[in-house]
């Protein structure tokens, strides 16, 4: 079985994770630009981070047999420092046409402040202007209202709902998104968000159309193998291999394929050559290089 | 609304500061030049502020003496109050930089004493920004037994803080003026969160019914 994890923050993970993910059948990942756990204090740290997403991290993933793509955007938490947020918004367009940048994201709400709403709209407009998908985070707190307001904003901006994936859904918010043309994202976590068993129940109730599952693994307690583990749970619950492949491989690729930068045919495990270097640097630490 | 205030005074704080540390603080603050820039003053105070835990032994530093205030909190807030007394005009600008330079643990002490340091709420937007932390200790310092957030936070930010406290399993009955600031939006958010937990077969946070 081949899998794609369409939302995972690999920059926070180890090479062991990459090895285990490849072993479990994950062929490709999408890494949305994200909050670093504490506020950034200047534009240059955003530039270095964005450059790393299209540079070193892409190389590092390939070293372990995984294709790495990303989405570019300013996280809602970072939208509340207006002066800095304006500077960041100015540089995002220069990344959006790069070949590995599949969408604008992750954008959305955190505290649901006026500033968050303003920059959320501006970034939806950027996605619309560039003909790119928009990956939208729904808030941890006040999730139902955050999801409703998200749908309102998508409609106000006028971006094609097909281009929008609304993520981190649960039993309360999935029905709201199902009434739209947007794609439905679910993050499977060890403790919070959504479990494999609950995800299986949602798939039984709502079907597999436009349903997407990710691990959203980051620097917190999370599990980069949650996509294949959800596949196992689906098979155990009686779903077919085709259903598993549709939800955990084809759906996310077809969603991101709207960027014109990726297709199902493109997503095959890359050959590993650990003798490769990135700007003269290697991810090896003394081990014998694997060359396929 | 009830009078939102600290349950103790600056004099109460002072009583818990070892004499050697109090002398050190007074001596260092006397060195401040009122004509210095905010950045120079903040740099000097930050060095002293960060050094205070080394002047206490660990057991006594972490001892809670006034509600959630530890001895170390008392010493740190006393240092900032002395700085305010010495340089009143530039104090808020200096404090702003100190908040920027402090790590999360150091920020917690500032936040616990912020009602003494900024009793007019001038720094409310800065304190709101601190709520975007992932540090549970800092969130608890912001939200529990803290009259500043209860008095000065707009409804949206107050509601978000209370929800964050529920998320980190803090006892929201310790939020000052909680019942007076309870509102229908907060009630709806808490009710949604309660049902989200029930859907996931998880426990319902302690005292969530207080705001529903």
């Amino acid at each position: 079985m081949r899998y794609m994890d369409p939302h995972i923050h690999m920059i926070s993970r180890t090479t062991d994770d990459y090895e285990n993910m490849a072993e479990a059948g994950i062929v490709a990942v999408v890494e949305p630009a994200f909050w670093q756990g504490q506020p950034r204090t200047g534009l240059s740290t955003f530039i270095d981070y964005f450059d790393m997403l299209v540079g070193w991290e892409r190389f590092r993933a390939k070293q372990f047999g995984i294709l790495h793509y990303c989405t570019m955007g300013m996280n809602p938490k970072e939208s509340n420092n207006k002066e800095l947020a304006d500077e960041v918004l100015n540089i995002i367009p220069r990344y959006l046409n790069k070949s590995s940048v599949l969408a604008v994201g992750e954008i959305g709400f955190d505290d649901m402040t006026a500033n968050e709403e303003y920059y959320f709209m501006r970034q939806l407009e950027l996605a619309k202007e560039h003909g790119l998908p928009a990956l939208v985070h729904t808030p941890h707190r006040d999730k139902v209202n955050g999801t409703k307001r998200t749908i309102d904003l998508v409609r106000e901006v006028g971006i094609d709902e097909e281009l929008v994936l609304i993520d981190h859904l649960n039993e309360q918010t999935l029905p709201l998104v199902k009434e739209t043309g947007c794609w439905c994202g679910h993050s499977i976590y060890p403790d919070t968000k959504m479990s494999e068993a609950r995800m299986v129940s949602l798939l039984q109730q709502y079907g597999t159309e436009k349903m997407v599952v990710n691990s959203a693994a980051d620097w917190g307690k999370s599990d980069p193998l949650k996509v294949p583990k959800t596949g196992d749970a689906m098979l155990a619950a009686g779903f077919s291999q085709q259903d598993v492949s549709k939800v955990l491989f084809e759906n996310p690729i077809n969603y991101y394929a709207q960027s014109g930068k990726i297709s199902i045919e493109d997503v095959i495990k890359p050959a590993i050559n650990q003798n490769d270097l990135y700007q003269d640097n290697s991810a090896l630490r003394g081990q014998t290089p694997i060359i396929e | 609304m009830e009078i939102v205030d600290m349950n103790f005074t600056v004099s109460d704080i002072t009583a818990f500061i070892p004499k050697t540390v109090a002398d050190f603080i007074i001596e260092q603050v006397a060195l401040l030049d009122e004509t210095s820039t905010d950045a120079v003053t903040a740099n000097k105070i930050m060095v002293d502020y960060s050094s205070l835990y080394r002047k206490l032994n660990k057991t006594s530093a972490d001892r809670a003496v006034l509600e959630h205030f530890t001895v170390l909190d008392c010493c740190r807030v006393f240092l900032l109050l002395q700085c305010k007394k010495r340089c009143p005009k530039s104090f808020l600008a200096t404090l702003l930089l100190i908040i920027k330079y402090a790590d999360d643990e150091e920020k917690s002490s500032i936040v616990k004493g912020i009602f003494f340091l900024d009793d007019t709420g001038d720094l409310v937007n800065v304190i709101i920004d601190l709520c975007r932390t992932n540090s549970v200790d800092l969130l608890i310092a912001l939200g529990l037994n803290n009259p500043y957030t209860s008095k000065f936070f707009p409804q949206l930010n107050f509601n978000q803080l209370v929800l964050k406290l529920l998320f980190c399993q803090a006892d929201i009955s310790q939020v000052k003026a909680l019942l007076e600031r309870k509102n229908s939006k907060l009630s709806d958010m808490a009710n949604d969160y309660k049902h989200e937990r029930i859907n996931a077969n998880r426990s319902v946070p302690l005292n969530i019914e207080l705001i529903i």
Side-chain angles (χ1 to χ4, degrees):
Chain A
M1 187 68 70
R2 283 184 300 167
Y3 298 106
M4 175 195 240
D5 192 331
H7 182 151
I8 183 165
H9 304 286
M10 290 310 301
I11 210 167
S12 309
R13 310 299 307 192
T14 64
T15 53
D16 285 355
D17 288 331
Y18 271 129
E19 285 177 338
N20 294 333
M21 290 163 70
E23 177 72 26
I26 295 175
V27 182
V29 295
V30 179
E31 175 153 9
F34 183 48
W35 155 257
Q36 296 298 283
Q38 66 181 53
R40 282 182 274 212
T41 55
L43 179 64
S44 61
T45 66
F46 279 91
I47 293 172
D48 290 343
Y49 173 63
F50 292 163
D51 287 349
M52 192 177 271
L53 291 182
V54 296
W56 171 252
E57 198 56 37
R58 202 165 194 222
F59 165 78
R60 202 167 75 100
K62 198 175 170 199
Q63 288 277 288
F64 296 91
I66 292 180
L67 293 171
H68 182 282
Y69 303 92
C70 66
T71 73
M72 279 298 166
M74 181 170 54
N75 193 271
K77 280 197 182 216
E78 291 163 330
S79 301
N80 288 294
N81 179 345
K82 193 158 174 29
E83 193 181 339
L84 183 54
D86 281 332
E87 291 178 338
V88 177
L89 205 65
N90 278 337
I91 63 157
I92 287 175
R94 77 184 193 216
Y95 291 92
L96 294 182
N97 290 323
K98 291 188 188 296
S99 62
S100 63
V101 179
L102 303 184
V104 173
E106 58 183 304
I107 55 179
F109 284 119
D110 180 48
D111 279 353
M112 296 181 66
T113 63
N115 274 344
E116 287 173 18
E117 183 161 314
Y118 173 78
Y119 291 103
F120 183 10
M121 286 189 80
R122 293 286 309 276
Q123 292 184 93
L124 281 174
E125 285 162 1
L126 273 183
K128 186 180 168 189
E129 286 161 19
H130 287 77
L132 284 176
L135 176 65
V136 179
H137 159 102
T138 50
H140 305 283
R141 302 170 303 284
D142 204 9
K143 200 174 199 49
V144 172
N145 286 320
T147 306
K148 286 178 183 168
R149 189 68 193 130
T150 292
I151 294 167
D152 289 345
L153 287 186
V154 166
R155 288 174 175 162
E156 278 175 43
V157 168
I159 184 172
D160 183 352
E161 292 180 11
E162 285 282 329
L163 282 170
V164 178
L165 188 153
I166 302 184
D167 211 347
H168 315 314
L169 299 176
N170 62 21
E171 290 82 353
Q172 291 165 295
T173 52
L174 174 60
L176 303 172
V177 180
K178 271 287 170 194
E179 289 174 11
T180 72
C182 302
W183 293 66
C184 306
H186 307 82
S187 301
I188 314 299
Y189 255 41
D191 293 322
T192 57
K193 292 189 167 78
M194 174 66 59
S195 69
E196 293 96 312
R198 288 165 61 203
M199 189 65 235
V200 166
S201 297
L202 290 178
L203 289 164
Q204 286 166 333
Q205 188 177 349
Y206 293 94
T208 57
E209 209 56 41
K210 285 189 175 172
M211 295 286 267
V212 171
V213 174
N214 58 66
S215 73
D218 55 17
W219 29 250
K221 187 178 176 188
S222 46
D223 180 354
L225 299 181
K226 281 297 188 187
V227 170
K229 285 178 181 175
T230 302
D232 293 343
M234 287 176 69
L235 291 172
F239 281 97
S240 67
Q241 299 250 356
Q242 287 78 8
D243 290 330
V244 174
S245 180
K246 180 176 183 190
V247 175
L248 303 179
F249 187 68
E250 291 152 34
N251 278 358
I253 296 172
N254 285 333
Y255 164 68
Y256 285 118
Q258 297 178 93
S259 66
K261 301 178 187 178
I262 186 175
S263 70
I264 295 212
E265 294 71 37
D266 295 333
V267 183
I268 47 174
K269 181 186 174 304
I272 296 174
N273 182 349
Q274 292 185 339
N275 276 336
D276 284 346
L277 299 176
Y278 179 79
Q279 294 181 359
D280 293 332
N281 290 311
S282 163
L284 297 185
R285 289 294 179 270
Q287 71 268 40
T288 306
I290 295 169
I291 301 168
E292 293 177 340
Chain B
M1 188 191 281
E2 76 173 48
I3 297 170
V4 186
D5 205 348
M6 299 294 282
N7 289 338
F8 48 86
T9 64
V10 171
S11 302
D12 295 328
I13 289 177
T14 314
F16 288 99
I17 301 171
K19 185 170 183 315
T20 50
V21 179
D23 288 347
F24 166 79
I25 289 170
I26 289 164
E27 194 177 293
Q28 293 306 313
V29 170
L31 296 175
L32 291 178
D33 179 349
E34 287 173 72
T35 61
S36 294
T37 63
D38 304 335
V40 168
T41 305
N43 247 340
K44 154 81 181 141
I45 291 296
M46 195 67 235
V47 172
D48 297 333
Y49 187 90
S50 295
S51 76
L52 289 175
Y53 85 95
R54 301 178 71 186
K55 303 189 179 302
L56 300 164
N57 72 52
K58 175 126 184 72
T59 315
S60 70
D62 294 341
R63 186 164 57 95
V65 288
L66 287 166
E67 293 184 342
H68 54 310
F69 265 64
T70 63
V71 171
L72 181 56
D73 293 326
C74 292
C75 294
R76 286 170 168 173
V77 171
F78 180 69
L79 167 64
L80 296 175
L81 285 165
Q82 291 301 305
C83 177
K84 182 179 184 181
K85 206 164 143 187
R86 170 92 177 160
C87 311
K89 285 184 188 159
S90 60
F91 178 69
L92 282 184
T94 302
L95 184 59
L96 197 63
L97 288 172
I98 290 171
I99 291 171
K100 192 173 168 185
Y101 301 154
D103 64 30
D104 277 353
E105 190 270 324
E106 292 169 335
K107 284 189 180 96
S108 291
S109 303
I110 299 172
V111 161
K112 287 179 191 176
I114 191 69
F115 200 71
F116 292 129
L117 300 166
D118 172 31
D119 56 4
T120 49
D122 288 343
L123 294 184
V124 67
N125 287 328
V126 177
I127 304 302
I128 285 170
D129 269 342
L130 294 185
C131 296
R132 299 184 214 290
T133 181
N134 288 324
S135 159
V136 172
D137 288 343
L138 183 51
L139 276 175
I140 285 175
L142 284 156
L144 301 190
N145 298 310
N146 196 334
Y148 190 92
T149 45
S150 298
K151 183 168 182 179
F152 296 120
F153 270 31
Q155 186 185 86
L156 183 151
N157 309 99
F158 179 80
N159 289 354
Q160 288 285 340
L161 177 59
V162 174
L163 261 284
K164 283 176 188 177
L165 291 168
L166 286 173
F167 269 62
C168 59
Q169 293 162 346
D171 178 4
I172 58 165
S173 70
Q174 293 177 45
V175 174
K176 293 259 185 191
L178 178 69
L179 299 183
E180 286 79 359
R181 293 221 51 183
K182 183 173 148 180
N183 57 80
S184 60
K185 280 189 178 165
L186 179 60
S187 175
D188 290 346
M189 287 159 67
N191 200 34
D192 283 343
Y193 180 50
K194 178 182 163 182
H195 285 99
E196 185 182 321
R197 299 284 299 181
I198 291 169
N199 283 336
N201 291 320
R202 295 185 187 130
S203 61
V204 174
L206 180 69
N207 284 327
I208 194 169
E209 299 297 341
L210 286 174
I211 51 171
I212 294 178

